[in-house]
Amino acid sequence: MSKKKEIITDFGEWNVPKSWDELDLKTFQEIEEYYSDKEKEFDARDVLHIFTKRSVDEINELPMEFTESILEQLSWLGEEPHYDEPSNKIEIDGEIYQVNVQEKLRTGEFVAVDTILKHDKHNYAAILAVLCRKNDEQYDSKFENEVMQSRVEMWERQPVMKTMPIVTFFLTLWLASNQLTQLYSTVEEAINQSVKNIEI
């Protein structure tokens, strides 16, 4: 006697953000990374996997009508997000975190951020964990070993619209810094070439 396949009618609770304000930084990073891969063909299951935190196998089992209803709830992605002007500070749970603009970037901070960007340029949470700290915190080996992981997780939980002012503040500074570095290299190369020409 053949077994009948069980028909599943209860798919449990499926939650997705209903607006930019409900989107956390971790999910934003993941979706941005997905869309930045030009080689990858769009697959709604991958997008739903990111937004619902459910496996692709679970998504495959959904009736198409149910999947379409979830995708409809993500229509706000087509709307332009609005957030405050760039800022070097943010308040989270009564604590102020800020990017230190009074002092130059220290070697440890630069190396840490540069390493993060080379590994995953969308990992804003880790960058913020390094650069946007409480006023009395130093970025040292103790911070790396005892604080860093929980701080990254704290940033990942924040609403993306709340963190965007500080993310854009950092990116503006970083781009300006890189442009200055490139400009210096170009000028240095030109000077060296001039010196060689004079010597010749």
Side-chain angles (χ1 to χ4, degrees):
M1 188 174 178
S2 63
K3 275 188 174 180
K4 285 186 179 177
K5 188 174 180 183
E6 184 184 351
I7 298 172
I8 301 170
T9 54
D10 182 7
F11 300 100
E13 194 173 347
W14 290 67
N15 296 312
V16 293
K18 305 296 189 298
S19 69
W20 285 106
D21 293 324
E22 291 186 18
L23 183 66
D24 62 48
L25 185 59
K26 181 174 174 41
T27 307
F28 175 78
Q29 292 173 178
E30 291 172 356
I31 204 71
E32 188 182 69
E33 184 176 7
Y34 174 79
Y35 277 109
S36 69
D37 187 351
K38 305 295 182 192
E39 302 297 314
K40 189 179 286 186
E41 281 191 40
F42 176 80
D43 188 329
R45 294 171 302 178
D46 292 331
V47 173
L48 287 177
H49 163 66
I50 293 169
F51 280 111
T52 63
K53 311 301 183 200
R54 300 291 193 101
S55 70
V56 173
D57 285 340
E58 288 177 286
I59 294 163
N60 282 335
E61 288 297 313
L62 294 175
M64 197 55 213
E65 295 84 0
F66 193 91
T67 304
E68 286 172 351
S69 71
I70 299 173
L71 288 169
E72 282 171 14
Q73 294 180 56
L74 295 170
S75 60
W76 53 268
L77 284 168
E79 301 167 9
E80 185 179 351
H82 298 284
Y83 48 87
D84 295 335
E85 292 292 314
S87 171
N88 74 315
K89 64 174 67 172
I90 187 173
E91 184 175 338
I92 300 172
D93 299 328
E95 296 274 8
I96 300 293
Y97 298 84
Q98 63 182 12
V99 177
N100 186 349
V101 292
Q102 304 302 319
E103 300 173 5
K104 290 184 178 180
L105 199 63
R106 298 184 185 269
T107 303
E109 294 170 326
F110 176 84
V111 170
V113 171
D114 194 50
T115 302
I116 292 163
L117 286 170
K118 283 175 180 170
H119 180 68
D120 179 3
K121 64 182 179 180
H122 306 287
N123 195 350
Y124 305 122
I127 294 167
L128 290 172
V130 172
L131 295 181
C132 192
R133 304 184 306 272
K134 295 176 188 177
N135 193 38
D136 57 345
E137 284 182 323
Q138 296 295 319
Y139 185 78
D140 52 19
S141 57
K142 183 178 180 183
F143 183 92
E144 282 186 331
N145 295 326
E146 298 177 15
V147 181
M148 183 70 177
Q149 186 56 43
S150 62
R151 191 62 55 82
V152 169
E153 291 166 5
M154 179 200 80
W155 284 110
E156 288 177 339
R157 291 190 302 269
Q158 299 310 305
V160 70
M161 289 298 100
K162 183 176 180 178
T163 61
M164 283 316 282
I166 206 145
V167 168
T168 52
F169 176 84
F170 159 74
L171 289 176
T172 303
L173 281 183
W174 191 261
L175 287 172
S177 172
N178 280 349
Q179 285 171 345
L180 286 173
T181 303
Q182 288 170 1
L183 179 62
Y184 169 76
S185 298
T186 304
V187 170
E188 185 181 39
E189 191 177 325
I191 291 170
N192 289 339
Q193 190 60 46
S194 298
V195 169
K196 284 180 184 176
N197 290 340
I198 289 167
E199 286 172 351
I200 291 168

